[in-house]
Amino acid sequence: MTDTPETLIEVHQLTKDYRAREVFFDTRGHTVRALDRVDLSIIRGETLGLVGESGCGKSTLARIILGLEPGTSGTVRYRGKELDAMDRQSLMAFRRQVQMVFQDPSSSLNPKKTVFQTLCEPLKIHRLCPRGKYTEEVARLLGEVGLDPQAMHRYPHQFSGGQRQRIGLARALATRPGLIVADEPTSALDVSIQAQIINLLLDLREKLGLSFLFISHDLPVVQFVSHRVAVMYRGQIVEIMGSRAFLADTGGPHHPYTEYLISAVPLPVPGLSLREKNRGKSGLAALQAREDTKTRSLAPARGCAFYPLCPKRTSECVDNRPGPQKISRGHVIWCDKV
């Protein structure tokens, strides 16, 4: 008999609306739907990759999962407990268990605080370490992320970009979390440094049993670090699949938007498969046409958000978004036209 994997985060029918003004003097305003009925789960010990174009709602979803802002409707549960129903004590425990690594390490660290002061702050807030043990614990955290403990009294500007990102990761690890939300953690770094940070994340995942929500535009990196990949378009999750199937030639993505998203990625590799050679032109054309289409509205979508561009659309897609369709084990698609 095998144990059922523990679900850390469960998102159900999560919707987030914002009120915005189209122009400065427009007092009526309109609704922008950032998230539209999102269903998602993160299992203990796994990395869930989240991909999609800029502005599709990835960071909004991350903020709501972190409890930094509420959803308009739907629920977010951490280990079975709904975030909105947590009391002060439970919420404090949740904030200790769920941490974030930011995109830009330069702006996420206080330039007026030393590394020691930065890493001591979460220890003090959550009372995780006796006062006399701060130096020892900070040294341990720096060693955990591959930095010299002797540098704890230096300031952020005295470190490179990669080293600052390691400090940000050490700060996240200070509370001994179970889940880390990594929002574009390598996009501000050089390619060689990106590889070091990715390998560090993988090592820490194995060593500490961490779970990750890994948000990125770099699709090959997402495939490399993730167990599963979720694809988002205009606030809707359109497909979730195992990472091996994500960029595979066979048994891979099924949703038309997933194909278009992958086709926009340069693949300068000799001997590309026929599928890879053929998929690019139509995908890129559709993505470019998106900017000119008159059917892309700010109003909340009633049906499928990809309807205006989908080559397989029917009249039903305007008002009705299909429920999740199971393709295979671990592979779910929100489309019944493929």
Side-chain angles (χ1 to χ4, degrees):
M1 182 177 179
T2 58
D3 295 333
T4 302
E6 179 186 6
T7 300
L8 287 184
I9 292 288
E10 185 178 7
V11 177
H12 179 65
Q13 291 292 289
L14 182 63
T15 297
K16 178 64 177 181
D17 293 334
Y18 292 101
R19 293 292 294 172
R21 295 181 181 180
E22 189 169 351
V23 290
F24 179 77
F25 51 82
D26 181 8
T27 58
R28 295 173 299 175
H30 54 262
T31 298
V32 176
R33 177 150 291 181
L35 298 176
D36 186 7
R37 297 162 288 175
V38 170
D39 288 328
L40 204 65
S41 65
I42 302 175
I43 298 170
R44 182 179 179 182
E46 83 161 344
T47 297
L48 176 68
L50 182 60
V51 301
E53 62 187 13
S54 297
C56 71
K58 302 187 298 296
S59 294
T60 299
L61 177 59
R63 288 195 300 270
I64 295 176
I65 287 177
L66 287 161
L68 299 179
E69 61 178 283
T72 303
S73 63
T75 59
V76 178
R77 290 185 173 88
Y78 177 73
R79 287 181 168 168
K81 295 182 179 179
E82 190 172 335
L83 263 59
D84 291 342
M86 286 184 177
D87 56 25
R88 185 185 180 118
Q89 184 177 359
S90 297
L91 193 58
M92 192 72 169
F94 166 78
R95 295 195 185 285
R96 182 176 68 82
Q97 281 291 308
V98 181
Q99 290 289 309
M100 185 168 190
V101 175
F102 297 90
Q103 177 177 358
D104 185 1
S106 299
S107 60
S108 64
L109 297 174
N110 190 332
K112 295 184 179 181
K113 289 186 176 182
T114 64
V115 172
F116 177 79
Q117 292 170 323
T118 295
L119 297 186
C120 276
E121 190 170 14
L123 299 177
K124 294 176 181 178
I125 291 173
H126 295 281
R127 300 177 182 178
L128 296 173
C129 180
R131 184 180 297 272
K133 297 287 186 179
Y134 286 156
T135 300
E136 181 181 336
E137 181 64 11
V138 169
R140 186 191 68 80
L141 288 168
L142 290 176
E144 197 92 80
V145 298
L147 291 177
D148 185 357
Q150 298 298 321
M152 68 174 67
H153 297 296
R154 292 162 57 184
Y155 289 87
H157 73 272
Q158 296 176 288
F159 295 89
S160 68
Q163 289 173 326
R164 285 195 289 265
Q165 192 61 291
R166 288 173 185 266
I167 295 168
L169 182 55
R171 179 177 57 185
L173 294 175
T175 63
R176 302 159 196 169
L179 172 69
I180 291 180
V181 177
D183 191 358
E184 297 278 359
T186 61
S187 63
L189 306 176
D190 294 337
V191 175
S192 60
I193 306 301
Q194 288 181 15
Q196 295 177 18
I197 298 299
I198 291 299
N199 287 330
L200 175 61
L201 293 176
L202 294 177
D203 290 343
L204 291 171
R205 183 179 70 188
E206 296 303 316
K207 181 179 179 180
L208 303 177
L210 295 170
S211 301
F212 285 92
L213 174 60
F214 189 88
I215 302 171
S216 179
H217 287 97
D218 194 329
L219 304 192
V221 169
V222 170
Q223 183 189 42
F224 179 70
V225 304
S226 303
H227 295 94
R228 293 184 299 142
V229 179
V231 181
M232 177 176 278
Y233 179 74
R234 288 194 66 191
Q236 295 182 358
I237 297 294
V238 298
E239 190 165 12
I240 299 176
M241 73 201 85
S243 60
R244 289 185 179 181
F246 181 46
L247 300 179
D249 287 340
T250 58
H254 286 67
H255 196 282
Y257 175 67
T258 307
E259 292 281 5
Y260 290 155
L261 184 68
I262 294 174
S263 73
V265 179
L267 294 173
V269 180
L272 292 181
S273 68
L274 182 62
R275 176 174 179 261
E276 290 171 328
K277 290 179 179 178
N278 290 338
R279 70 187 177 191
K281 294 183 179 179
S282 61
L284 284 171
L287 287 169
Q288 292 165 355
R290 173 178 59 79
E291 301 300 329
D292 301 323
T293 182
K294 301 298 183 182
T295 54
R296 185 177 174 91
S297 171
L298 289 171
R302 294 170 294 174
C304 177
F306 197 58
Y307 167 79
L309 299 175
C310 184
K312 300 179 180 180
R313 66 188 180 193
T314 67
S315 58
E316 298 176 354
C317 302
V318 179
D319 297 311
N320 301 308
R321 185 193 182 207
Q325 313 291 316
K326 185 175 181 180
I327 303 298
S328 60
R329 183 177 180 181
H331 193 159
V332 181
I333 182 174
W334 278 259
C335 181
D336 56 6
K337 301 298 185 293
V338 295

